[in-house]
Amino acid sequence: MIAEIRGAQLLAGYRGQPALDAEALADTLSRLSVLIANHADRVAEIDINPLFVRPQGRGVVAADALVVLK
């Protein structure tokens, strides 16, 4: 699914930029999915914006997040 996003080309490195940590992005999205599934009775929505994907091996950083409870 990550390969289908509009900016997927950037993850592999683009125009001389280093490849980004796509594995950390996938892991983060997977863990977030599990969190939501485990707390579906309490969580109405989660918004993370922006989520910065750093160069390979350096992970991701959420600059801001909002969790809305039911």
Side-chain angles (χ1 to χ4, degrees), residues 9-10 12 19 23-24 27 31 34 38 42-43 54 57 63-64 68:
Q9 193 174 23
L10 300 173
E23 185 174 323
D27 184 57
R31 289 171 183 261
V34 169
N38 287 343
R42 298 184 60 210
V43 176
R54 300 176 63 171
D64 187 33
V68 177

Side-chain angles (χ1 to χ4, degrees), residues 10-12 18-25 51-62:
L10 300 173
L11 293 172
L20 301 179
D21 202 339
E23 185 174 323
L25 175 59
L51 180 67
F52 294 103
V53 183
R54 300 176 63 171
Q56 282 184 340
R58 299 201 51 213
V60 299
V61 176

Side-chain angles (χ1 to χ4, degrees), residues 1 10-11 15 23 28 31 34 41 45-46 50 65:
M1 290 174 63
L10 300 173
L11 293 172
R15 294 188 178 180
E23 185 174 323
T28 300
R31 289 171 183 261
V34 169
D41 59 323
E45 62 185 81
I46 295 179

